Amino acid sequence: MTKHPGLAAGTGSSVVVDRCQVCDGTDLKPGIFLGYLPPVNQMRPIGARPFEQPAYPAQWLFCTRCQLVQLGLIVDPRVLFPPDYPYSSGTTRILRENFAELYQEYRTLLPLEAKDLVVDIGSNDGTLLANFQAGGHRVHGVEPTAMGDLANKRGIATTIAFFGRESAERVRSAEGPARLITATNVFAHIENIHDIVESILLLLRDDGVFVSESHYLVSLLETLQYDTIYHEHLRYYSLRSLSWLLGMHGLEVIHAKRIPTHGGSIRVYAARRGMHQVRPTVAEMLAAEDKAGAMADRLRDFERRVMMSKLALHATVLDLKKQGARIFGVGAPSRASTLINHVGLDEGMLECVVEVPGSHKVGKYMPGTLIPVVEESRLFEAQPEYALLLSWHIADELIPKLAAKGFHGRYLVPLPEPRVVERR
Ligand SMILES: [Zn+2]
């Protein structure tokens, strides 16, 4: 078992990655550098005097041994997620549909009896588990934030805790071992990933199945989602690198599939080696990854395309500004901060960013800028000529919504290539 020599957690600072976060390898090749990014959850109130705020270098490293693409600096989670920071869950339609589809797919692939326990790690408000519960199965969530209380109120038993050895043992002694454990959007964020996998094994029945969903590196590269690179995302998985991680713990991948969440993710089924039949989807996806070329070459190509995309977005904004157009940003998810900071958008180019009413981001500046975040109603009152979609990966879901709410302007979709969409 490899253990990183120094964890960033609790340091109030950061730790340099000089050995691979997963395999402990030392041959780490430098990849794209997006500059110094401010923590996305530290937002200065509008009008506050400038005060000292941290920014951390965001650079990828590529491990030639296990093929993992990872950030070269691990920032203390307490810096990234301040304790006083209100948590908000963004449950999009795509996400809800995906969880329902996961349930249906699982039922057709593998046996699941009524008495079987299904555990979801980072279970949020219980949306995923609700599908299994409606199917008559026993369910249990593990969720550290107040969203877990909401799940309990909905009747979905939830342990309010970070997932780890202690909470795994607590759930196991209360409910018995799990037939199925799910973890969506968890594997990229947690610093000590080996502890998480070991705790999953503690809770998983010998013939149990572990299903994870992670943002997919291949989708990220294909659709130029460099804006999903920020310090909360420590690791960027291909199936190859995820298999390596699971394999270190005696798990083998038995099924893999691409899914549309978060702009392109992979759903990976794993089980203890030899316990389940391995489906052809695994070899197929690995072959597709290999066929696309050596990862080192793909990463160099990605760097060049990101640079070209940045210049193209500048050129588009320049054209619009010459015409005297006003541009508002729509949505302030974490990825918006990377895009705005890397491209160098400022309050002259982007008058403001609008957010849904009640968002804790309203009344603050976008990280690293003087672009104010204001309530969404401003968009409908001011009717700027252009709305820059910062959640561009769900543009198809957003555009009809904004049009229905009364926005008459055009839409600027920044990535993968900047394009203008007329209202529908
Ligand atoms: Zn490695």
Side-chain angles (χ1 to χ4, degrees):
M1 175 62 48
T2 57
K3 202 156 190 152
H4 222 267
L7 291 174
T11 61
S13 177
S14 59
V15 164
V16 173
V17 173
D18 48 17
R19 305 179 80 92
C20 174
Q21 295 178 29
V22 161
C23 81
D24 213 33
T26 51
D27 188 22
L28 301 174
K29 304 279 188 230
I32 193 167
F33 176 57
L34 293 179
Y36 283 67
L37 297 179
V40 295
N41 289 336
Q42 291 195 18
M43 297 169 74
R44 189 150 59 96
I46 292 172
R49 297 277 174 232
F51 54 85
E52 185 179 282
Q53 284 183 295
Y56 299 93
Q59 183 171 25
W60 265 359
L61 300 177
F62 169 60
C63 174
T64 56
R65 182 155 73 160
C66 76
Q67 304 281 300
L68 181 73
V69 171
Q70 56 201 294
L71 269 195
L73 189 72
I74 301 178
V75 178
D76 185 349
R78 268 191 265 177
V79 173
L80 300 177
F81 309 100
D84 58 336
Y85 197 76
Y87 181 85
S88 68
S89 80
T91 313
T92 61
R93 177 178 54 79
I94 292 175
L95 215 51
R96 286 191 302 275
E97 287 174 2
N98 173 63
F99 290 155
E101 196 268 336
L102 165 59
Y103 168 63
Q104 293 302 339
E105 183 192 52
Y106 191 88
R107 281 170 25 133
T108 60
L109 290 180
L110 290 155
L112 192 63
E113 289 155 37
K115 61 177 173 37
D116 287 340
L117 175 68
V118 180
V119 173
D120 187 31
I121 298 166
S123 52
N124 206 298
D125 63 357
T127 303
L128 188 159
L129 285 176
N131 292 284
F132 287 91
Q133 191 181 51
H137 307 288
R138 290 192 298 130
V139 299
H140 199 106
V142 182
E143 169 61 41
T145 74
M147 298 306 286
D149 297 320
L150 202 68
N152 275 318
K153 283 192 194 108
R154 287 175 68 187
I156 295 182
T158 301
T159 295
I160 314 289
F162 285 98
F163 185 74
R165 180 168 291 270
E166 198 192 321
S167 49
E169 276 169 354
R170 215 188 313 161
V171 173
R172 186 179 171 122
S173 59
E175 306 260 21
R179 181 79 180 261
L180 166 63
I181 297 179
T182 54
T184 62
N185 216 20
V186 165
F187 261 41
H189 299 72
I190 295 170
E191 184 175 11
N192 199 341
I193 191 65
H194 292 296
D195 259 14
I196 299 296
V197 182
E198 283 299 311
S199 304
I200 287 166
L201 286 170
L202 254 179
L203 183 55
L204 192 65
R205 240 167 72 163
D206 282 349
D207 63 348
V209 172
F210 168 55
V211 177
S212 64
E213 292 184 356
S214 307
H215 195 222
Y216 190 30
L217 175 66
V218 172
S219 304
L220 189 160
L221 298 179
E222 282 169 354
T223 52
L224 225 54
Q225 297 183 58
Y226 70 83
D227 58 340
T228 60
I229 302 174
Y230 42 85
H231 289 92
E232 282 88 335
H233 287 169
L234 297 172
R235 294 172 291 273
Y236 304 78
Y237 294 103
S238 59
L239 182 59
R240 182 73 65 197
S241 60
L242 189 56
S243 301
W244 184 293
L245 164 62
L246 295 167
M248 287 175 77
H249 299 270
L251 290 164
E252 72 180 339
V253 176
I254 57 169
H255 173 54
K257 173 182 174 171
R258 293 182 76 154
I259 51 171
T261 53
H262 307 290
S265 302
I266 38 171
R267 182 185 295 156
V268 172
Y269 289 55
R272 286 184 177 86
R273 208 167 277 128
M275 293 303 288
H276 287 274
Q277 183 201 344
V278 178
R279 282 161 203 277
T281 51
V282 181
E284 283 161 18
M285 194 182 285
L286 289 173
E289 285 183 2
D290 292 345
K291 203 175 146 217
M295 188 51 78
D297 297 337
R298 299 186 74 184
L299 293 174
R300 265 192 303 276
D301 176 59
F302 175 70
E303 270 183 70
R304 195 192 63 82
R305 287 162 57 223
V306 169
M307 179 269 290
M308 296 300 279
S309 155
K310 174 176 173 170
L311 292 174
L313 186 54
H314 263 275
T316 305
V317 171
L318 176 62
D319 278 349
L320 300 183
K321 282 296 167 191
K322 278 180 178 166
Q323 298 161 18
R326 291 165 302 160
I327 311 173
F328 283 18
V330 175
S334 298
R335 63 198 299 158
S337 177
T338 296
L339 184 115
I340 285 173
N341 279 284
H342 181 63
V343 173
L345 298 180
D346 66 23
E347 74 281 10
M349 307 175 202
L350 208 54
E351 277 183 35
C352 60
V353 169
V354 301
E355 257 287 342
V356 289
S359 164
H360 54 267
K361 295 174 183 174
V362 170
K364 315 242 173 75
Y365 291 120
M366 286 299 290
T369 75
L370 293 182
I371 302 170
V373 181
V374 301
E375 278 209 10
E376 194 183 55
S377 55
R378 279 287 298 145
L379 182 73
F380 311 119
E381 290 155 16
Q383 296 290 345
E385 288 72 25
Y386 290 87
L388 172 67
L389 297 183
L390 295 162
S391 295
W392 58 275
H393 61 298
I394 51 166
D396 292 345
E397 185 175 339
L398 279 178
I399 290 173
K401 254 189 206 168
L402 291 166
K405 283 182 176 175
F407 177 60
H408 306 310
R410 297 185 173 106
Y411 301 89
L412 178 54
V413 181
L415 290 173
E417 297 296 330
R419 64 190 168 100
V420 168
V421 178
E422 301 285 336
R423 70 170 183 266
R424 294 171 187 171

